[in-house]
Structure formats: structure tokens, C-alpha cells
Amino acid sequence: MPRTALLVSGALLAALLPLSAVAHAADDPAPVPVDRFEGEVPFASQPADGIFTWGSDADDPPALHLTDRADAPEGAKVLTGTYDISGYGGFTHDFAADRPAHDWSPYQGIRFWWDGHGNGRKIAFEIKDGGANGEASELWTTSFTDDFTGWKRIEIPFTDFQYRTDYQPVGGIDHVLGLTRMWGYAVTLPPGTKGDFAMDDVEVYGRADQSPRAFVGTDAPVHPVEEGGTAQVKVTLTTTGDRPVDAPVTVAYTTQGGTATAGQDYTPVSGTLTFPAGTASGTARTIEVPTRRDRAAEPAETVPLKLTVTGAEAPAENPQIVIDAHGLPYLDATLPVRKRVADLLSRMSLEEKAGQMTQAERGAVGGGGDIATYALGSLLSGGGSTPTPNTPEAWARMIDGFQLRARATRFQVPLIYGVDAVHGHNNLTGATIMPHNIGLGATRDPQLAERTGEVTAAEVRATGVPWDFAPCLCVSRDERWGRAYESFGEDPALVQSMEAIVQGLQGRADGRDLSRNDKVLATAKHFAGDGGTAYGSSTTGTYTIDQGVTTVTRQQLEDIHLAPYRTAVERGIGTVMPSYSSLDIAGDGRGPVKMHARGDMINGVLKDRMGFAGFVISDWNAIDQLPGDYPTHVRTAVNAGVDMMMVPYSYKDFSTTLADEVRAGRIGERRIDDAVSRILTQKFRLGLFEHPYADTSGAAAIGSRAHREVARRAAAESQVLLKNGGGLLPLKKSEKVYVAGSNADDIGNQTGGWTLTWQGASGNTVPGTTVLQGLRGAGGNVTYSKDASAPTDGYDVGVVVVGETPYAEGVGDVGNGHDLRLSAADRAAVDKVCAAMKCAVLIVSGRPQLIGDRLDEIDALVASWLPGTEGEGVADVLYGKRPFTGQLPVTWPRSEDQLPINVGDASYDPQFPYGWGLTTLTPVPKGGTATLRDLAARAAAAERHGDDRTGRALVTRARLLVQQKTGGHLTQAVSGPFADADHLLLTGRYGKAVEKLTEAYRAA
């Protein structure tokens, strides 16, 4: 491109420069520079005045330079940068936190020069006001489009900025653009393809009129009212800094348009509200709109109220009155659900049905206007997508605001809002965080799993959320999988036994409890075979196993991966989510097929054969992974049986494409009616039509002592004692204990992924008790040195807490920046402490870690899994307040070369077998083969009489006897039958289980 083209033109640039010569109105204040990019502002971050970069991962922050440019609009240098952003990235100029904030209130707006490429990309620009500093302020955002070439001055009046609804670093200070206390600006660069930019001379300009400092707002965008009632719309005047207005503000109002008929459905109103000069900020006036009763049954009708504001900034949108739907059969709570569904379905348009099948992300709908526009049926919060502040009250307000938007639709069908509460209400700060599923599987305690589900459901529903994308019923067959910790274990029988958690979440299997304020709709995921993907089969980015291919025979599919779903359907599970992964069934001739496209599995097996009566929700953007163009994606998934599509940011495209495909005859209307009927059925069962808004009466119990006691017990029961040389555990209060390791005092590592954010994070992320704090709280004589650098002399025992840092999904796949070995720092801590004293090593992780090379130097070894926020539960078993009772939910391998390794394998020689778990505080029965023969006979009798409790107890006694005899010296001849016995126990074959244990005993 010629140099002249880059400059727009030499003549034009000459006309524009220098800036000091640019004219401005005589009464305007002189522009004030913010950044000249001549080096006066350094590359630095808080608390200093400076420019810094940021991004969603290590590759996303742009590279910035101050570059000499002959064509610089101002001075000699400009800010240049290059970027290649996959998630989000940009840069910020924060003003110094140790100096006063800047006052921009005398100015009209902010402007800068941008070197355009004419590529049509949107660049987000935001400013920061209020709070303590630039990183604890409110964010106000707008954007401009790079649809020009060469230098162009971008001028943005402050009136163009909107409060960010998708992210705020703090809890919303006052939601008023406080131009008197400004902390800087930020630029968010476009993702997707590589790019570069140049920018120069940021300054505030122009004279402010009153409108950027005075705001007119209404109490709500939608005002539902019963037919015959009077709607009251409160109009409030607020100002920056709470100063009285300098000049009068008038608000002219009139009812016009909408679907209601003036004079018939409501009495039209018009007039003017006046806020005289000197009116205090916060002053409110009320507009009343009377509606009329005509006694006819009818859908909801809308009455827009047009506001024309003079002297202040007007509301972002005009409010509307909605006369509630009334008299229609589907609104009659005394009718059976099926009749209510049939009546409502018969009234809906194709577009309204398509809306019910659409789920959007909360951040994508902004203020929520599209909820009514597209008749959306559902919203969700992705991992880390939370309101600000992240409190129960803010969650309830947010969801109520979205539900209010749904009242503006014809039939006022409520939204169903969903979250991934996979180990407690893990998106919410202060919630009770349970052990991840792998830890619950280790408890072998279905009643406890049910209780954790009850606590989770109560905390989730108390924030207004009626739907939980849990539990994961995957059968994890390879520890290299980044989602291994989401599984209860490698044995389908174990997974089935732990599905009591479904009743904890939903209540009784017939759904009668779903309308309670402490129950939620549960989701069985990910149907089916997601835990069986082969290492190296993934084609998603750098993933190695997640979202890969599961290759099985039909019998393996039935016995391993489908079995948990049969149980879930029997338990009345409300929704099912297909897997991202592909299924390759031997002999069907189809090869690998994405689960979202497998109508034979979703329609044929799940719905028809198993009799699943709930609805199927897709995974996040999963249809985008299907072959073909977008209409093909839509019809393939819908025709395969997916009823609702999770299309977080493409909800408009999905709903319109779905309707187009139906009109074209490529998706049948019966398929649409089936999907919508299933969705509406669950909404009626949840009681959302009668009570769409949050019932926060249970909010006081969120994170309560009673709830944390459940999590504490779960943490304690999840601990698996793998080795206990010399009876080192439990510890004695009289012993001097040296604690070390990266995970001893890190609540973020302890809670793992899916904690506040999708990936989770190390550090002090959530309220709770670390393992170290639990040990100290137990009254132990404890000294802590994270890296074991403190002197080790004079201690009786060491406790080294090591393991993994948080991850989720394929990001955590082995080979994708992760492995199954302890970090160098953790290995050094283990070596130093265990060389100096008797030691117990606790492994806090989502999967087994390869520890065999250090096993001889370790006296006691504990698999702690990811125990959640209650580190006191770990301390309870270490100090003997509770016995160790946990058993391995997965096989613990000797080496990575053995993977995958699972119970039932023909060749099975692990470090520790499935089901292994030593005990403390529990007497081990005495005897040998004769005792085992007696136990086998009694266990078989218990099995015949259906006495499960006695049968399980007898098998447990036999297991303890075998574990004692081995002395920790495990061979293939011992491990195989030992693991088989635990599977037999879980399937109710108690006599055979003891026979297998007898085989292991003889081989020991």
C-alpha cells in the first residue's frame, strides 16, 4: 500500500495538525492530555501511574511499544502494538492510586487518534470511575468500528458510555458515571486473527452540558400489572456526586403503541414531570397508568410509555406496562401439568417455540431486552459468569431482573436459569464447596452424597437458580483425562450407587418436590461415554483426550457408559446433557459420530428405550463442532433429539435458523412440539409459572455452619489412607508436627477447578479452611514451612501436603501442559521432610499421582482428592476425630505406561487397586481362611435374604482382613481379585465378593 494511503492524504493530515492549532469553541475548556505516548507515562501497573497489558491467557496480552512515527498526529511517538488473541486481551492506563482521581466532569468526552485498517473490527473502549483506584472502580464501556484507513480522531462523548453488565471488578459502586473521580481507560482488542494497531494523543475535550451529570431513570424496564390494576412507574433523577441540578429537567411522557388497545385495555395518559433547578439527586416522581378489566381471557398485552427528557440523560430504554395474561387454562395451577402444557403449546407461534429451545449466556443479553424480543426460554451462567457483587442478594436481583423481562412476552413463560453447581454452588463467593465427585466416590456413602446434593440444591435455589448442570455421571476410564475428578469413579456400579445425589438435588423421583424452595432440576451429563475417550483422539485445540473418541463394543457401551443413565432415568432425572465426545460403536459401520448428532442414542436409547421424559440440553456451543454449515448443525442436533440448545452468544442465529429449518420442512413440527413440551413440563413442575422470582428465604443458610458440617464430613470420609507404616496415623496432639508442601495452605488448590471460575485458581480464592488451618484448629502443635526451608530438627512427624493446581476439562488433559507427577518443588519438600523425620504425605489432586519412586521413603500416604472448602475434615481424620474409611474410586497406577488401567482388566498390577483403603480407629478382625469361609457363607445368606446392610458389613470385614495381611506389599495376584471384590460388593453379590477377597488373601 502506498505511504500516502496510510496517511489518508498528506494534505488532509496537514490540515489536521498540529493539534494545538485545532480550533475549539470559544467557551470550551482547553483539551487536557491523558496520554501523549511520548514516554511521559511508563509501562507500569498499580499502584503507579502506568500502562499495562492483560489477557485471558499467557498468549493474549498484546505487545506494546512507543514507536517513532513521522506521521504521528501529535509529537514524535505513538503507541503501537501487535496482538493474536484467542479469548480476550487489551491494555489499560491506570492513574496513580496514591494521588487523587481525575475530574473529567467539565468536559464533553474523550478522544484519541487511531490508525485504521478498514477491517470492520470493533474495538471496545472503556473508562473507569469511582472506587479506591483503577482496579477497584466501575467500568463504563462503548466501542468504535475500524472501518477507515489511516489516522482518524475518534471522539466519544461521555453520554455514549454504558455501565458494563458482563463484568465488573467490584460490586457496582453506584451505577452512576462519576466523572468527578476518574481512574483511567482501557482498550479491548478484537480476538480471532492477528492484528496490529497504532494510537496517539488521548485527551478529554469539549464543554460538558448538564446531561452527562444528570440522569433520569425508571425503577424497572417492565411493569407487570393485573388486568384492572394501575401500573405505577417511578421516575428518578440522579446526578454525579449527588449535586442538585443546575437547570430544570423535564420528562414528557405518553402511552403509545404496544399490543394493548388504548381506551379498551387501558386509559391513555400523557403529561410532563418537572424537576426544577436545585432539585436534589434521588428525587422521584410517579406516573400512573390505569388498566381496564374486560373479563375476557387473553395473553399479556403491552403498553409502552414513551419518555422525552430535556436537561438530563434519558433512560437507555422506555419502560413498558404489561397487562398480565389471565383466564387461560395453562395459568390454572389446579390442572394437571400435561393439560397446561398442551394448552400453552397450542397457542404458541413457531418463533415462540424456537425461543423456548434457546439458551443464552447472561453476559450476552446485557440488560435483557432480547429476552422478550426472541422469547428466550433459558439463560445460564458459564463458569465465572457472576453478578457484581457476587453475593446471594445480587444473584437473586439479577435473575429476578431477567425474569421480569420474560413478563413482557405474550404468554409470560418464565425463564429457566442454569448453573454448573458441580460441587456446591461453586460460582458463588461464600457458598459451601463440597469435595469434587471423585472424592464423593471415595466415601462409598450414597446417603452422604444425597446430603451434599441437598445442601447444594438449597444454596443454589436460594439465589433464584432452579437448574443445576450436575451431576456428572461419566465413568472415568483414564486418569489422563482433565475431567477425571468430575467422575465418581471408574466402575459404573460405583457411579450408579452415588446417584442418590439426584434425590438430594431434585427430591422424590416423581418430581413432586421440584417446586420446593430448596430443590433444583438436575442434569445427568455427559451422555454417553465421555469418560472412555482414547488418549490422543481429541481434535479440540491442544486437548489430548477430552472431547475425543470413545471406541467400544455395544456390550461395553451398555455395561459401562449407559448403565449410570438407566439409573438416572429411574431416579427421575430432569435433564440430560450430551457429551462433546464422539462415539464409535464397533460393527455399526458409522465410525466416530459426535454425540450431539447421534439420534440413535438420544432419541433411540435415552428417550425411547430408557423412557427418559425430561429434556435434553446441549453442551456449550457443542453444535458448532458438528460437520456442515450452521443450518446443518441446527437440524442435525434437533433431529437427533436435543431439545434445548446452549448457544451462549449465538442465540439470535440459532432461534432464527431453527424457525427457518422448520418452515423449510427440514425439521418436523412434531419434533419441535415434543421438545417444547418437555421443556414446559419441567418449568411447570418447578413451579416457575406461579413463582418465577427468587425465593431467598433460605439465603441465610448459604455457607452456614450446618451446611459446612456436611462438607466437612464429606471431606473426612473422602480421605483414602493408602499406606500407614508403623501406625503413624492418626497423629497425636502431643506430637510436634512439621507441615510443608504447596497445597497445605492453599484453598484454591484444595477446591480445584470449577470454583468461582471455570478453571479455578490457586490462592485465597474462597472463604474456607485450608488443611493447615484445620490442623491448627484441631489443637495440634504445628509449624509450617511451605517449601520446607525452615529447620527440620526436633519434630516428631512431618505432614507434607502436595499435588495439583486447578484446571478444568481438556485444559487439564495430561500432555496439554499437565502430567501425573508432582512438581519439582513438591518432590523436594517430600524428600527433605521424609529424610528428616517420619512423614505422612497427602496428595491433593483430581486424579492419582505417580508416587511409586518415593513410596519407600514415605511412612503414610493419603489420597486427599479435592476436599473442598472444609480442611477441618482432613484434620479430623489425621488427628483421629474420625476414622479413615475412604476407598479408592479409581485404580492408582504404578506408571503412566499402564494407562488406561481399570478394575476388571485382564492385566492388572497397579500401585494400589481399586477399592483399596486402610482404616484407623477400627479393629481389624482376626483369623484366616477359615474366618473368610465363614464370612463368605454368611454374606451369601445375606444376599439371598436381601439384607444389604449385613452383606456390605461382612464384605468390609473380609476386606480389612486382606489389607492387613498384605502389609502393603501388593502383587498382581492380590490386586486383581481385591478390586473385583469391590465391584461385586457394589452390585450386591456379597458372597462372590468375599470369595474374591479370599483369593486375594491366599495370594498375599
Side-chain angles (χ1 to χ4, degrees):
M1 182 179 293
R3 176 176 166 80
T4 52
L6 285 172
L7 299 181
V8 184
S9 78
L12 177 59
L13 188 62
L16 292 171
L17 298 177
L19 292 184
S20 59
V22 174
H24 54 82
D27 59 347
D28 282 358
V32 173
V34 177
D35 267 332
R36 298 180 64 239
F37 302 117
E38 300 299 309
E40 79 283 3
V41 176
F43 291 116
S45 56
Q46 286 287 310
D49 184 4
I51 300 168
F52 60 94
T53 62
W54 38 265
S56 54
D57 58 39
D59 297 328
D60 282 350
L64 301 183
H65 305 279
L66 296 177
T67 303
D68 285 306
R69 288 268 293 256
D71 64 338
E74 192 277 337
K77 298 180 186 294
V78 301
L79 179 69
T80 62
T82 57
Y83 58 90
D84 184 7
I85 300 169
S86 58
Y88 61 85
F91 61 92
T92 292
H93 178 183
D94 273 356
F95 301 146
D98 58 357
R99 294 178 226 162
H102 294 215
D103 184 359
W104 290 352
S105 62
Y107 300 93
Q108 178 185 354
I110 189 167
R111 66 190 183 190
F112 50 88
W113 290 88
W114 191 267
D115 189 10
H117 295 317
N119 52 29
R121 297 183 184 177
K122 283 194 176 296
I123 294 97
F125 189 90
E126 69 188 23
I127 54 179
K128 304 180 169 194
D129 87 289
N133 55 60
E135 295 306 286
S137 56
E138 280 185 337
L139 306 183
W140 295 77
T141 188
T142 187
S143 66
F144 65 94
T145 302
D146 186 345
D147 55 4
F148 54 91
T149 56
W151 288 107
K152 178 180 177 180
R153 175 178 270 173
I154 308 296
E155 292 193 343
I156 308 175
F158 291 131
T159 51
D160 285 359
F161 287 91
Q162 300 294 320
Y163 181 81
R164 274 191 69 171
T165 57
D166 58 334
Y167 168 74
Q168 288 286 340
V170 293
I173 296 160
D174 58 12
H175 295 240
V176 174
L177 180 54
L179 293 169
T180 57
R181 298 193 69 241
M182 301 305 298
W183 289 106
Y185 68 89
V187 175
T188 302
L189 296 162
T193 58
K194 293 182 180 180
D196 60 80
F197 73 93
M199 181 182 186
D200 200 14
D201 190 41
V202 183
E203 63 183 17
V204 289
Y205 72 96
R207 177 177 297 281
D209 56 29
Q210 179 172 274
S211 59
R213 295 182 287 108
F215 309 84
V216 168
T218 59
D219 52 338
V222 178
H223 292 75
V225 61
E226 291 184 4
E227 185 189 42
T230 298
Q232 295 187 326
V233 180
K234 186 166 74 171
V235 179
T236 303
L237 174 68
T238 58
T239 63
T240 299
D242 289 334
R243 295 179 295 191
V245 291
D246 302 327
V249 174
T250 61
V251 182
Y253 62 89
T254 182
T255 49
Q256 63 179 49
T259 59
T261 302
Q264 176 180 319
D265 297 312
Y266 69 97
T267 302
V269 298
S270 61
T272 301
L273 303 176
T274 300
F275 297 89
T279 299
S281 179
T283 301
R285 305 274 192 271
T286 300
I287 300 170
E288 294 190 344
V289 180
T291 68
R292 297 183 176 183
R293 189 181 299 278
D294 60 13
R295 302 184 182 278
E298 54 193 348
E301 298 170 304
T302 58
V303 185
L305 183 64
K306 183 180 179 181
L307 305 180
T308 304
V309 179
T310 303
E313 184 176 346
E317 61 181 305
N318 287 314
Q320 58 180 327
I321 291 86
V322 177
I323 304 170
D324 287 337
H326 53 276
L328 301 173
Y330 78 88
L331 296 169
D332 184 353
T334 66
L335 290 178
V337 167
R338 59 181 176 78
K339 289 189 176 182
R340 299 179 74 183
V341 169
D343 176 68
L344 177 53
L345 189 70
S346 70
R347 301 174 186 279
M348 297 173 73
S349 69
L350 175 58
E351 284 72 21
E352 287 166 330
K353 293 174 184 178
Q356 287 302 303
M357 296 174 66
T358 307
Q359 183 182 66
E361 217 283 334
R362 58 169 285 278
V365 299
D370 278 352
I371 292 170
T373 302
Y374 290 89
L376 295 178
S378 181
L379 295 181
L380 84 152
S381 280
S385 178
T386 64
T388 50
N390 189 358
T391 63
E393 296 79 14
W395 275 90
R397 281 196 304 271
M398 175 187 73
I399 294 170
D400 282 356
F402 291 139
Q403 290 287 17
L404 182 64
R405 293 288 191 167
R407 306 298 290 173
T409 60
R410 278 203 308 161
F411 300 112
Q412 299 182 307
V413 180
L415 294 164
I416 180 169
Y417 198 101
V419 297
D420 286 277
V422 299
H423 62 140
H425 196 356
N426 44 259
N427 285 290
L428 172 65
T429 299
T432 307
I433 305 300
M434 302 292 174
H436 271 292
N437 282 355
I438 194 167
L440 293 182
T443 69
R444 295 299 199 281
D445 190 339
Q447 288 71 38
L448 178 58
E450 182 173 355
R451 186 72 185 104
T452 66
E454 291 172 351
V455 169
T456 298
E459 297 198 0
V460 169
R461 195 71 183 255
T463 59
V465 178
W467 185 13
D468 184 3
F469 305 131
C472 184
L473 301 185
C474 52
V475 182
S476 177
R477 306 291 284 179
D478 194 325
E479 279 64 56
R480 292 170 292 190
W481 189 31
R483 302 189 84 138
Y485 64 76
E486 295 187 44
S487 172
F488 291 114
E490 70 186 34
D491 182 356
L494 175 57
V495 175
Q496 289 174 284
S497 74
M498 301 307 290
E499 289 184 52
I501 197 171
V502 172
Q503 263 55 69
L505 294 167
Q506 290 194 169
R508 284 169 286 188
D510 60 6
R512 73 177 74 178
D513 297 326
L514 282 172
S515 61
R516 284 172 35 177
N517 68 354
D518 62 349
K519 294 300 176 189
V520 294
L521 197 68
T523 307
K525 63 183 188 183
H526 305 89
F527 183 83
D530 55 332
T533 51
Y535 189 78
S537 67
S538 181
T539 57
T540 301
T542 56
Y543 295 4
T544 58
I545 186 168
D546 189 34
Q547 303 185 21
V549 179
T550 298
T551 302
V552 287
T553 65
R554 287 199 176 274
Q555 195 60 53
Q556 289 170 330
L557 178 64
E558 291 286 342
D559 294 345
I560 297 173
H561 300 292
L562 288 177
Y565 292 93
R566 290 195 295 269
T567 303
V569 171
E570 292 167 0
R571 287 185 174 275
I573 195 78
T575 60
V576 171
M577 181 184 292
S579 173
Y580 282 116
S581 59
S582 300
L583 186 61
D584 187 356
I585 304 175
D588 74 352
R590 300 180 65 185
V593 179
K594 284 283 186 181
M595 277 304 310
H596 283 73
R598 292 212 68 133
D600 60 325
M601 298 299 300
I602 300 173
N603 284 327
V605 173
L606 178 66
K607 291 182 175 179
D608 294 343
R609 196 185 82 194
M610 292 185 182
F612 172 60
F615 69 89
V616 175
I617 170 71
S618 86
D619 211 331
W620 178 284
N621 277 336
I623 64 169
D624 291 348
Q625 296 188 6
L626 301 180
D629 58 14
Y630 194 69
T632 302
H633 297 169
V634 171
R635 67 174 174 268
T636 298
V638 172
N639 285 334
V642 183
D643 301 306
M644 181 185 286
M645 223 62 68
M646 188 186 292
V647 280
Y649 299 99
S650 56
Y651 59 91
K652 298 176 185 178
D653 289 340
F654 171 76
S655 60
T656 55
T657 301
L658 176 58
D660 289 344
E661 289 295 293
V662 176
R663 290 192 185 95
R666 290 184 286 268
I667 299 175
E669 292 187 21
R670 288 184 62 186
R671 169 77 270 268
I672 299 300
D673 287 351
D674 172 62
V676 177
S677 294
R678 289 168 176 270
I679 294 164
L680 294 177
T681 296
Q682 299 302 338
K683 290 185 176 185
F684 279 117
R685 295 170 83 191
L686 284 162
L688 295 177
F689 281 82
E690 288 69 48
H691 304 288
Y693 301 115
D695 180 347
T696 59
S697 58
I702 294 174
S704 65
R705 178 179 293 275
H707 285 186
R708 289 183 182 274
E709 279 299 317
V710 175
R712 178 175 180 171
R713 178 184 160 198
E717 290 193 25
S718 72
Q719 303 299 293
V720 180
L721 184 57
L722 300 173
K723 179 181 179 181
N724 194 23
L728 181 65
L729 297 177
L731 303 172
K732 302 176 181 62
K733 298 285 181 67
S734 60
E735 292 174 318
K736 290 185 65 178
V737 180
Y738 185 102
V739 179
S742 61
N743 286 350
D745 195 33
D746 193 309
I747 197 80
N749 291 353
Q750 187 175 303
T751 50
W754 289 109
T755 306
L756 286 192
T757 60
W758 175 40
Q759 292 294 315
S762 300
N764 188 22
T765 56
V766 292
T769 305
T770 65
V771 174
L772 174 66
Q773 291 168 334
L775 291 170
R776 285 175 169 162
N781 184 352
V782 172
T783 296
Y784 173 58
S785 175
K786 179 177 179 179
D787 60 358
S789 59
T792 55
D793 297 336
Y795 292 92
D796 299 304
V797 62
V799 174
V800 191
V801 189
V802 294
E804 295 185 305
T805 55
Y807 55 80
E809 300 190 34
V811 176
D813 284 353
V814 167
N816 189 24
H818 295 266
D819 58 38
L820 298 180
R821 299 185 183 277
L822 299 179
S823 69
D826 278 350
R827 294 196 301 269
V830 170
D831 291 345
K832 182 172 181 181
V833 175
C834 292
M837 64 194 81
K838 292 180 179 179
C839 70
V841 173
L842 277 63
I843 299 179
V844 173
S845 65
R847 53 196 169 193
Q849 303 291 284
L850 301 175
I851 197 78
D853 59 341
R854 283 172 168 76
L855 195 54
D856 289 342
E857 66 185 75
I858 296 170
D859 297 287
L861 179 65
V862 179
S864 285
W865 309 116
L866 298 168
T869 50
E870 308 312 300
E872 291 170 318
V874 181
D876 285 342
V877 292
L878 290 177
Y879 271 112
K881 183 175 181 178
R882 291 179 179 270
F884 275 96
T885 56
Q887 296 175 246
L888 282 181
V890 293
T891 300
W892 197 284
R894 292 185 187 275
S895 71
E896 197 168 332
D897 293 339
Q898 290 184 315
L899 298 176
I901 183 171
N902 295 286
V903 56
D905 287 354
S907 177
Y908 189 78
D909 187 21
Q911 193 83 66
F912 298 102
Y914 169 78
W916 185 264
L918 304 176
T919 60
T920 55
L921 312 181
T922 304
V924 178
K926 300 185 182 303
T929 54
T931 301
L932 288 167
R933 279 197 302 272
D934 177 62
L935 291 173
R938 292 164 60 194
E943 180 182 337
R944 288 193 300 273
H945 292 97
D947 187 352
D948 293 330
R949 184 173 182 178
T950 299
R952 287 192 295 268
L954 292 166
V955 176
T956 297
R957 291 181 63 190
R959 181 175 63 83
L960 297 179
L961 197 60
V962 174
Q963 287 184 158
Q964 183 183 58
K965 187 184 180 188
T966 66
H969 301 293
L970 291 163
T971 64
Q972 183 171 359
V974 172
S975 294
F978 185 94
D980 291 342
D982 201 59
H983 171 74
L984 290 166
L985 164 66
L986 288 164
T987 55
R989 291 173 286 176
Y990 308 121
K992 290 291 185 183
V994 178
E995 289 178 15
K996 279 290 183 182
L997 288 168
T998 303
E999 182 182 337
Y1001 184 88
R1002 288 174 175 148

